[in-house]
């Protein structure tokens, strides 16, 4: 897979004081996704983003949602949110004994199904589910907080995963999340990722540069 890459803006990193500015700019450049991190303080040592916030966000934008459930018992907690047909939803493989049930639930909703894995998780753990999902989200940093450094070995993990999918003749998407700078996005795109979560490392870190300009710069390195 080497089509144009897609961007997913991390709303956890978007300051509320500039939210309408961000959403307006995203809409003008046809941003592909808003990345919605859901954290319960148990699976990771942080809380984000709540049901009321996500419900309000849905009312003020029609940009597609890219949910990322970093929670214990994702099967239950996904039901707390208004997941719609066409939304993209990632749930974690780790600490999850209901992988098939999660896949079945999202299938009934008409959502795009992704399984997320932490930096230390072997992607081969997902082999039995690959034919039932749309993609895999790879964490390049320990999950929970923004601003951490990319773990170098996760770059080759993307390449190895893409080669593995190609060997199985599966055209799944690979989403990269965690310290995705413009430089890292360029490398990971060449290795096989095609969806990139943009947060403090490359989208919201420079208040002096227009968001549209930052997005344009990032898109240039992911096949645009």
């Amino acid at each position: 897979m080497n089509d144009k890459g897609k961007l997913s803006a991390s709303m956890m990193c978007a300051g509320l004081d500039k939210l309408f500015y961000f959403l307006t700019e995203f809409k003008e450049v046809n941003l592909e996704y808003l990345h919605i991190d859901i954290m319960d303080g148990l699976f990771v040592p942080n809380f984000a983003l709540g049901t009321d916030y996500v419900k309000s966000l849905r009312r003020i934008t029609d940009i597609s949602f890219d949910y990322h459930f970093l929670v214990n018992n994702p099967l239950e907690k996904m039901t707390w949110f208004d997941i719609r047909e066409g939304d993209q939803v990632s749930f974690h493989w780790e600490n999850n004994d209901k992988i098939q049930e999660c896949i079945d639930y999202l299938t009934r909703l008409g959502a795009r199904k992704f399984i997320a894995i932490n930096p230390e998780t072997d992607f081969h753990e997902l082999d039995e589910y690959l034919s039932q999902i749309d993609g895999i989200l790879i964490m390049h940093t320990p999950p929970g907080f923004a601003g951490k450094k990319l773990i170098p070995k996760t770059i080759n993990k993307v390449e190895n995963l893409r080669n593995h999918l190609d060997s199985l003749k599966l055209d799944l998407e690979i989403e990269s999340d965690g310290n995705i700078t413009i430089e890292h996005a360029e490398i990971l795109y060449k290795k096989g990722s095609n969806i990139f979560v943009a947060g403090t490392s490359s989208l919201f870190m420079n208040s002096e540069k227009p968001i549209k300009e930052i997005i344009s710069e990032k898109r240039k390195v992911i096949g645009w």
Side-chain angles (χ1 to χ4, degrees):
M1 178 178 290
N2 203 22
D3 297 329
K4 288 181 180 179
K6 306 172 188 176
L7 295 179
S8 186
S10 175
M11 300 312 293
M12 185 177 75
C13 302
L16 289 175
D17 58 327
K18 298 182 69 176
L19 182 60
F20 284 100
Y21 160 70
F22 291 140
L23 293 176
T24 299
E25 297 289 284
F26 293 158
K27 184 67 176 176
E28 287 187 10
V29 297
N30 296 312
L31 187 80
E32 289 80 12
Y33 297 109
L34 300 181
H35 191 78
I36 312 295
D37 285 304
I38 311 297
M39 304 182 188
D40 61 0
L42 299 171
F43 185 82
V44 293
N46 196 5
F47 290 98
L49 294 159
T51 54
D52 288 340
Y53 173 88
V54 177
K55 187 182 297 184
S56 297
L57 189 62
R58 182 74 88 177
R59 286 197 294 264
I60 59 176
T61 182
D62 60 0
I63 299 174
S64 297
F65 280 12
D66 172 22
Y67 288 95
H68 183 187
F69 284 88
L70 301 103
V71 299
N72 288 342
N73 195 5
L75 183 60
E76 175 190 1
K77 288 165 185 169
M78 286 191 293
T79 67
W80 300 354
F81 294 83
D82 179 24
I83 296 173
R84 301 181 180 181
E85 183 175 359
D87 283 343
Q88 185 165 293
V89 183
S90 298
F91 59 88
H92 272 262
W93 177 87
E94 299 86 5
N95 298 339
N96 187 355
D97 61 358
K98 296 182 179 178
I99 299 290
Q100 187 61 56
E101 290 90 339
C102 288
I103 292 173
D104 293 343
Y105 175 70
L106 293 173
T107 298
R108 289 195 296 272
L109 295 179
R112 305 188 71 242
K113 305 170 291 289
F114 279 54
I115 299 179
I117 53 175
N118 287 338
E120 299 301 324
T121 300
D122 186 341
F123 60 75
H124 288 288
E125 299 284 357
L126 311 184
D127 278 356
E128 66 179 290
Y129 305 108
L130 293 179
S131 63
Q132 303 180 65
I133 61 177
D134 300 290
I136 296 168
L137 183 152
I138 289 185
M139 290 299 306
H140 293 276
T141 61
F145 290 90
K148 295 180 180 179
K149 297 298 184 183
L150 178 142
I151 299 172
K153 67 180 180 181
T154 61
I155 294 175
N156 286 334
K157 186 177 184 178
V158 167
E159 182 176 30
N160 293 335
L161 172 57
R162 177 56 68 198
N163 290 336
H164 180 56
L165 295 173
D166 288 346
S167 73
L168 298 173
K169 294 181 170 52
L170 292 172
D171 195 23
L172 274 64
E173 298 194 281
I174 300 176
E175 182 169 7
S176 283
D177 185 3
N179 194 213
I180 307 302
T181 63
I182 290 176
E183 293 75 18
H184 290 154
E186 182 174 15
I187 295 169
L188 290 164
Y189 176 71
K190 293 175 180 177
K191 296 291 186 181
S193 292
N194 68 298
I195 304 175
F196 304 88
V197 178
T200 55
S201 296
S202 64
L203 191 58
F204 301 110
M205 78 304 189
N206 189 342
S207 60
E208 296 181 359
K209 184 178 292 188
I211 285 286
K212 286 188 286 189
E213 184 177 335
I214 298 172
I215 291 174
S216 177
E217 290 177 358
K218 195 154 193 175
R219 279 177 163 167
K220 286 178 183 177
V221 303
I222 57 172
W224 285 68

